[in-house]
Amino acid sequence: MKGLYFQQSSTDEEITFVFQEKEDLPVTEDNFVKLQVKACALSQINTKLLAEMKMKKDLFPVGREIAGIVLDGILPLDSEDPGLCEVVRVHEHYLVHKPEKVTWTEAAGSIRDGVRAYTALHYLSHLSPGKSVLIMDGASAFGTIAIQLAHHRGAKVISTACSLEDKQCLERFRPPIARVIDVSNGKVHVAESCLEETGGLGVDIVLDAGVRLYSKDDEPAVKLQLLPHKHDIITLLGVGGHWVTTEENLQLDPPDSHCLFLKGATLAFLNDEVWNLSNLRILKDVMEKLSTGVFRPQLDEPIPLYEAKVSMEAVQKNQGRKKQVVQF
């Protein structure tokens, strides 16, 4: 039985994925189950995190967001089994029942981004009705779910678009997004747009998709064009606001911290690899909301297993907007 693996020895420029024969699964132990995989979503592998956690292997299994008979779940970071395989062994702690109305591809394609969006909005920023939320890069797979969950809670949503296609996608949302800020040409100021939309009060919650940390001379051209500077985020944040960031190397100078202090604002880091005891309940809620139509994931056409290697290479290079799901 073959599975897809990532060769950690490869550089960022030469990402290598290989199909490899895997050993037969051992006899199921207590609290473990064998899962027949029906669908597996593809997400970027954080090679830097693997290095920091000293998880050095020649081959690292690919595919951790899976749906199958009879259960579905997220494989832990240290799982020996790739999700891109016909059968895997997984601990029951990482599994929840798939609602009958939810397809295999929807389940697998919603797990990671659904848990991330739910964690960011409900646990890190305490979203409540009437709040204003800025969701950066709203047309991404994560952004679309976050927007739908925020609307469900009665929030006013502002979002940024990185291209004309993204802008058109966001303008089709129902209920409508309060303001779509097109940052594709690098001429629109996100802070000014948000302050104008909120009457100068600033937004209550910010979910970023990365920020610029340095001056224009020290940042890559692409990052300059699409991402706001950290000072912009601090400026547009309202009193008592919550800033949820995915920027793992965020650096705040004393004046930045002082400004956040004056606003009584909070800063939280969204690391999707950090699981706590509440995550199983989050996973159940995500599946329930998916089943009842609260949100729909942005999925690409299902991919057959033999195309998984090529598709994973594209995902690792952050190419494409919709979620890629392999269907067995």
Side-chain angles (χ1 to χ4, degrees):
M1 185 167 53
K2 289 186 177 181
L4 187 64
Y5 293 83
F6 168 71
Q7 286 190 319
Q8 289 199 74
S9 57
S10 60
T11 64
D12 290 338
E13 292 77 20
E14 298 178 356
I15 298 171
T16 305
F17 295 94
V18 295
F19 279 105
Q20 188 88 355
E21 287 289 344
K22 63 188 293 289
E23 298 178 0
D24 292 337
L25 296 175
V27 177
T28 301
E29 303 172 8
D30 290 342
N31 302 320
F32 279 80
V33 297
K34 286 185 178 180
L35 182 75
Q36 181 184 356
V37 180
K38 289 292 187 179
C40 177
L42 304 180
S43 296
Q44 280 185 315
I45 296 173
N46 191 335
T47 54
K48 184 178 179 181
L49 178 63
L50 295 178
E52 289 176 350
M53 297 186 67
K54 304 188 185 307
M55 300 178 66
K56 294 183 178 179
K57 306 174 185 176
D58 291 334
L59 295 173
F60 189 82
V62 172
R64 295 169 48 223
E65 304 135 72
I66 58 175
I69 299 175
V70 171
L71 303 166
D72 72 294
I74 299 179
L75 295 183
L77 187 61
D78 59 354
S79 172
E80 298 290 336
D81 296 323
L84 285 168
C85 189
E86 293 179 357
V87 179
V88 299
R89 191 178 71 109
V90 61
H91 194 284
E92 63 182 5
H93 172 73
Y94 300 105
L95 302 171
V96 295
H97 286 281
K98 181 186 76 66
E100 186 176 348
K101 295 180 180 179
V102 177
T103 67
W104 299 115
T105 54
E106 286 176 336
S110 302
I111 296 171
R112 190 184 195 92
D113 292 322
V115 169
R116 288 180 71 211
Y118 202 108
T119 300
L121 292 172
H122 294 274
Y123 283 84
L124 298 181
S125 58
H126 311 291
L127 178 67
S128 58
K131 295 290 186 180
S132 57
V133 185
L134 170 62
I135 299 175
M136 308 294 294
D137 194 14
S140 65
F142 166 71
T144 54
I145 292 179
I147 289 171
Q148 292 173 82
L149 288 177
H151 273 154
H152 177 66
R153 288 288 289 166
K156 175 182 180 178
V157 177
I158 304 170
S159 187
T160 61
C162 300
S163 67
L164 177 60
E165 183 179 0
D166 287 354
K167 183 174 182 288
Q168 293 171 342
C169 170
L170 294 173
E171 289 175 341
R172 290 194 294 268
F173 265 82
R174 293 295 178 271
I177 296 171
R179 177 175 290 203
V180 177
I181 306 171
D182 186 358
V183 298
S184 60
N185 58 15
K187 297 180 181 180
V188 177
H189 296 284
V190 175
E192 291 181 7
S193 298
C194 289
L195 290 173
E196 181 182 320
E197 183 63 36
T198 58
L201 297 177
V203 300
D204 299 304
I205 298 170
V206 177
L207 304 188
D208 73 33
V211 295
R212 288 190 287 117
L213 304 177
Y214 311 110
S215 64
K216 292 184 177 181
D217 296 334
D218 300 323
E219 294 278 12
V222 175
K223 198 170 186 179
L224 269 177
Q225 180 173 315
L226 300 179
L227 296 181
H229 195 279
K230 61 181 178 180
H231 295 151
D232 295 330
I233 301 295
I234 295 172
T235 299
L236 63 85
L237 198 61
V239 173
H242 302 278
W243 176 10
V244 180
T245 183
T246 57
E247 186 62 57
E248 59 186 42
N249 296 315
L250 180 66
Q251 299 176 27
L252 295 181
D253 299 321
D256 301 330
S257 298
H258 184 64
C259 187
L260 290 173
F261 167 77
L262 291 176
K263 293 185 176 187
T266 63
L267 172 65
F269 290 87
L270 180 60
N271 179 356
D272 35 318
E273 298 298 350
V274 174
W275 276 59
N276 54 44
L277 294 178
S278 65
N279 277 93
L280 187 58
R281 187 166 68 84
I282 294 176
L283 199 52
K284 290 179 179 178
D285 284 349
V286 167
M287 287 296 112
E288 180 182 332
K289 285 179 169 53
L290 179 61
S291 175
T292 56
V294 169
F295 73 88
R296 281 285 177 265
Q298 184 176 246
L299 305 180
D300 214 332
E301 290 297 320
I303 305 163
L305 182 58
Y306 64 83
E307 292 183 4
K309 179 178 178 293
V310 174
S311 297
M312 190 60 206
E313 290 170 351
V315 168
Q316 191 67 17
K317 294 176 182 177
N318 201 25
Q319 298 173 349
R321 304 295 283 160
K322 296 182 178 181
K323 195 74 173 181
Q324 302 287 324
V325 181
V326 175
Q327 188 171 33
F328 288 79

